[in-house]
């Protein structure tokens, strides 16, 4: 039973570890950074715990039971408390809390194994066998825990319920071990009573915690939440207030229904004017269907391929009354062919060529998204354009993040394409930038808005290519102009620029 206990608590430990990483990624942003920090802190905590375990000299079973009691409490309430801290305490407190709870649970987890190894040794198993068997159970449990979180717990329970559920497992192991070795423990019933009380709170959290945490999370958004879902890839939140519907992915605003048309009209109509044929169009991202709505305004639009990684976004945009009304049912149009795949992988495996390619992806705020803003990626996009084709890329804000915007533009230009720069004021976002690129020369004076629009006109197009002094592409340090370097997979410096630019917004 010692080895089974080791395996089970190891499963719980790895799940808590990845929960902390997921919480950091969702609330604090930059998933790679947060997972790196939480894994490092968790392992550091385990090392500290292992070192302190030699001071555990009293009844090993009681020590193990109380360690599991504390893991159940701290780990079980971790996600619930994280949302409360984020909602009600000053900015920056949430990161401090997350790192502290990671270190604490990691420390408690680090005490578990040495205690179990010593107990197994006391039971008559030789030290080499007890160590090997407990460690085998621990490592195997780690694999199972990771798989359970990714494929079962997060998509089915979410982060709050998952933490409470795993805390209940830790508690159950403790109570079973307590019962199994009751003959060795004086007043074992008193310890059991404490465990039962802890269990009552954990079970209450399992059934009520998510609802309360939802009210905490509501504080993070301006408007009432009408839909929320944790998917395999991200957290989807839909809000609505007085006619304004907003979509958030992992806390980042994707659009506001009050002004999204400004964004999508500039994304679509200039590039549609640049090319003569609209037979075959590719949209990378844009699972909300809003860009496709604009594309379908052209009678000669042929086949549209939409590539969006998360099926849940497309399903929501296809079934939600609020989104279907906004995208005018564009995703149900017979011209639209939907594929759920990573954009990079899709381009690598496709042999199709397109007249127009729209790159409507989230900002490069983590490593996985940064690869979709590299020279390698834009070279793939270029290679799928017809000789007279063109693409338009959403490229973040030239006001809030000018170095990021012009780096994206330079990266696209470095693939050999001709580029033209556009930007437009979108009240919910601020001033937002786009980059058009083509093998052909781009003459803005020859572009026309040929579809019905709410904002964009032909006369406005030239003005959208003019940038102010604070949006300039030149970066000056100590009186010298710093050259802009393309963003590549080997040198992904765009992510660092993005973090620096948005830190104050």
């Amino acid at each position: 039973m010692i080895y089974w206990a080791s395996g089970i608590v190891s499963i719980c430990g790895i799940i808590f570890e990845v929960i902390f990483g997921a919480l950091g990624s969702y609330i604090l942003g930059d998933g790679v950074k947060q997972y790196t920090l939480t894994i490092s802190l968790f392992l550091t905590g385990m090392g500290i715990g292992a070192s302190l375990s030699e001071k555990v000299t009293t009844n090993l079973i009681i020590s193990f039971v109380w360690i599991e009691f504390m893991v159940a409490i701290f780990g079980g309430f971790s996600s619930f408390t994280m949302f409360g801290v984020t909602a009600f305490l000053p900015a920056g407190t949430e990161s401090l809390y997350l790192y502290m709870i990671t270190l604490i649970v990691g420390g408690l987890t680090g005490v578990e194994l040495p205690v179990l190894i010593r107990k197994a040794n006391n039971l008559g198993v030789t030290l080499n066998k007890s160590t090997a068997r407990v460690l085998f159970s621990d490592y195997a449990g780690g694999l199972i825990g990771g798989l359970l979180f990714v494929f079962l717990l997060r998509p089915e329970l979410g982060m709050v319920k998952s933490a409470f559920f795993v805390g209940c497992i830790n508690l159950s192991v403790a109570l079973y071990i307590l019962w199994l070795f009751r003959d060795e423990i004086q007043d074992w019933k008193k310890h059991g009573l404490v465990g039962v009380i802890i269990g009552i709170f954990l079970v209450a959290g399992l059934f009520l915690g998510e609802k309360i945490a939802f009210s905490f999370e509501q504080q993070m958004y301006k408007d009432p939440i009408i839909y929320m879902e944790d998917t395999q890839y991200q957290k989807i939140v839909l809000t609505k207030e007085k006619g304004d519907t907003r979509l958030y992915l992992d806390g980042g605003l994707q659009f506001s229904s009050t002004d999204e048309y400004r964004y999508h009209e500039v994304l679509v109509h200039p590039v549609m004017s640049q090319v003569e044929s609209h037979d075959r169009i590719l949209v990378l991202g844009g699972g909300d269907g809003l860009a496709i709505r604009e594309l379908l305004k052209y009678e000669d639009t042929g086949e549209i391929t939409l590539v969006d990684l998360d099926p849940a976004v497309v399903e929501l945009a296809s079934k939600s009354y609020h989104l279907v009304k906004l995208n005018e049912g564009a995703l149900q149009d017979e011209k639209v062919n939907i594929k759920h795949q990573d954009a990079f992988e899709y381009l690598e495996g496709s042999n199709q060529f397109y007249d127009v390619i729209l790159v409507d992806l989230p900002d490069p705020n983590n490593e996985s998204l940064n690869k979709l803003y590299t020279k390698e990626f834009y070279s793939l996009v270029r290679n799928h354009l017809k000789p007279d084709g063109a693409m338009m890329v959403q490229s973040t804000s030239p006001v809030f993040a000018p170095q990021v915007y012009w780096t994206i533009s330079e990266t696209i230009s470095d693939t050999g394409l001709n580029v033209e720069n556009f930007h437009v004021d979108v009240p919910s976002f601020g001033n937002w930038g786009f980059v058009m690129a083509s093998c052909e020369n781009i003459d803005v004076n020859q572009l026309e808005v040929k579809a019905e629009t709410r904002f964009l006109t032909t006369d406005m197009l030239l003005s959208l290519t003019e940038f102010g002094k604070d949006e300039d592409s030149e970066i000056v340090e100590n009186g010298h102009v710093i050259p802009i370097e393309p963003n590549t997979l080997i040198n992904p410096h765009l992510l660092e620029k993005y973090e620096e630019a948005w830190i104050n917004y």
Side-chain angles (χ1 to χ4, degrees):
M1 184 57 201
I2 292 293
Y3 308 120
W4 278 105
S6 172
I8 293 171
V9 298
S10 296
I11 291 173
C12 296
I14 194 67
I15 292 174
F16 280 132
E17 187 176 353
V18 293
I19 283 177
F20 300 152
L23 282 171
S25 178
Y26 170 52
I27 294 177
L28 302 176
D30 189 355
V32 172
K33 175 183 176 181
Q34 298 309 323
Y35 273 104
T36 300
L37 287 174
T38 52
I39 290 172
S40 300
L41 285 170
F42 199 90
L43 291 175
T44 299
M46 289 182 67
I48 295 171
S51 176
L52 294 175
S53 67
E54 65 183 18
K55 299 184 182 298
V56 179
T57 57
T58 56
N59 191 302
L60 294 177
I61 291 299
I62 286 297
S63 299
F64 175 77
V65 166
W66 276 92
I67 290 167
E68 295 310 302
F69 282 177
M70 288 188 284
V71 172
I73 293 171
F74 285 108
F77 281 87
S78 58
S79 294
F80 175 82
T81 309
M82 181 67 173
F83 284 108
V85 169
T86 304
F88 299 110
L89 295 184
T93 312
E94 64 272 21
S95 58
L96 178 62
Y97 166 78
L98 178 63
Y99 301 148
M100 286 182 60
I101 199 69
T102 301
L103 196 62
I104 290 170
V105 176
L108 292 169
T109 303
V111 180
E112 292 170 342
L113 292 188
V115 170
L116 289 176
I117 290 171
R118 286 160 60 188
K119 183 59 182 177
N121 192 38
N122 289 346
L123 292 174
V125 182
T126 59
L127 183 61
N128 62 331
K129 288 185 177 180
S130 63
T131 302
R133 291 173 183 176
V134 170
L135 289 178
F136 171 78
S137 300
D138 176 63
Y139 298 149
L143 172 62
I144 296 170
L147 295 175
L148 282 175
F149 179 77
V150 171
F151 296 107
L152 181 62
L153 294 179
R154 180 177 177 179
E156 296 297 327
L157 297 182
M159 287 184 283
V160 174
K161 282 188 177 181
S162 290
F164 281 120
F165 179 74
V166 176
C168 288
I169 295 176
N170 279 102
L171 181 65
S172 299
V173 170
L175 291 175
Y176 184 73
I177 291 292
L178 181 65
W179 169 260
L180 193 65
F181 291 92
R182 62 190 181 279
D183 294 337
E184 300 180 18
I185 303 168
Q186 187 177 7
D187 296 328
W188 67 272
K189 291 183 180 179
K190 292 182 180 180
H191 298 289
L193 179 60
V194 174
V196 170
I197 293 172
I198 294 172
I200 291 172
F201 282 100
L202 289 175
V203 172
L206 185 61
F207 288 98
L208 302 176
E210 188 172 59
K211 185 176 182 180
I212 300 173
F214 178 85
S215 67
F216 293 164
E217 192 167 12
Q218 178 67 74
Q219 304 297 319
M220 299 167 57
Y221 297 93
K222 176 183 176 183
D223 302 326
I225 297 173
I226 60 173
Y227 181 85
M228 180 186 297
E229 180 182 1
D230 280 301
T231 76
Q232 181 181 350
Y233 304 102
Q234 59 203 339
K235 189 179 188 75
I236 304 172
V237 172
L238 196 64
T239 69
K240 186 174 180 62
E241 175 69 18
K242 297 180 180 178
D244 182 15
T245 301
R246 297 187 175 215
L247 177 67
Y248 296 84
L249 299 179
D250 280 342
L253 178 64
Q254 303 304 301
F255 69 77
S256 165
S257 63
T258 58
D259 54 29
E260 56 77 18
Y261 59 89
R262 283 174 164 250
Y263 172 99
H264 290 100
E265 287 178 4
V266 177
L267 175 70
V268 172
H269 299 301
V271 71
M272 290 291 277
S273 178
Q274 170 68 18
V275 301
E276 293 185 4
S277 172
H278 302 148
D279 289 341
R280 193 180 294 274
I281 299 173
L282 175 64
V283 181
L284 302 175
D288 51 40
L290 299 175
I292 294 178
R293 177 197 65 200
E294 298 298 314
L295 292 170
L296 291 173
K297 291 180 178 180
Y298 295 82
E299 293 183 359
D300 64 338
T301 293
E303 177 184 315
I304 301 173
T305 300
L306 170 67
V307 179
D308 195 288
L309 181 63
D310 195 343
V313 174
V314 176
E315 183 177 5
L316 180 63
S318 302
K319 295 181 178 179
S320 168
Y321 166 79
H322 305 287
L323 296 189
V324 171
K325 181 180 179 181
L326 200 58
N327 63 36
E328 299 177 5
L331 295 175
Q332 282 77 40
D333 194 281
E334 60 182 10
K335 295 180 179 180
V336 180
N337 179 28
I338 300 172
K339 297 183 180 295
H340 298 298
Q341 194 175 353
D342 176 80
F344 206 111
E345 293 177 0
Y346 174 79
L347 291 175
E348 286 184 317
S350 173
N351 57 7
Q352 295 288 346
F353 293 90
Y354 299 93
D355 300 293
V356 172
I357 299 179
L358 302 181
V359 184
D360 189 19
L361 297 164
D363 279 1
N365 56 14
N366 60 54
E367 292 287 356
S368 60
L369 287 170
N370 179 76
K371 75 174 184 178
L372 303 179
Y373 287 82
T374 60
K375 181 179 178 180
E376 291 83 352
F377 176 73
Y378 293 131
S379 296
L380 281 173
V381 178
R382 176 203 61 197
N383 294 343
H384 286 275
L385 283 173
K386 293 181 179 179
D388 57 349
M391 68 175 176
M392 182 71 99
V393 182
Q394 90 80 12
S395 308
T396 197
S397 172
V399 175
F400 301 137
Q403 290 190 37
V404 177
Y405 176 81
W406 292 107
T407 297
I408 294 172
S409 180
E410 177 63 25
T411 302
I412 297 172
S413 176
D414 205 54
T415 67
L417 294 171
N418 299 303
V419 302
E420 182 60 72
N421 302 98
F422 295 83
H423 66 132
V424 63
D425 185 55
V426 183
S428 60
F429 280 150
N431 193 283
W432 213 256
F434 303 84
V435 178
M436 185 195 293
S438 176
C439 293
E440 302 288 327
N441 291 324
I442 301 173
D443 185 353
V444 179
N445 291 301
Q446 299 299 316
L447 300 180
E448 297 181 62
V449 178
K450 301 177 181 178
E452 182 180 349
T453 59
R454 296 174 61 185
F455 162 73
L456 192 62
T457 67
T458 299
D459 293 338
M460 292 175 60
L461 288 175
L462 187 60
S463 68
L464 300 184
T465 64
E466 298 294 331
F467 291 78
K469 291 182 178 180
D470 60 348
E471 306 161 320
D472 194 55
S473 60
E474 289 190 351
I475 304 169
V476 181
E477 291 184 5
N478 300 321
H480 299 285
V481 176
I482 306 300
I484 299 174
E485 297 182 1
N487 186 48
T488 65
L489 289 174
I490 296 176
N491 183 24
H493 58 89
L494 184 68
L495 179 57
E496 182 180 354
K497 287 184 171 64
Y498 185 89
E499 291 175 347
E500 292 175 354
W502 288 97
I503 192 170
N504 295 318
Y505 297 100

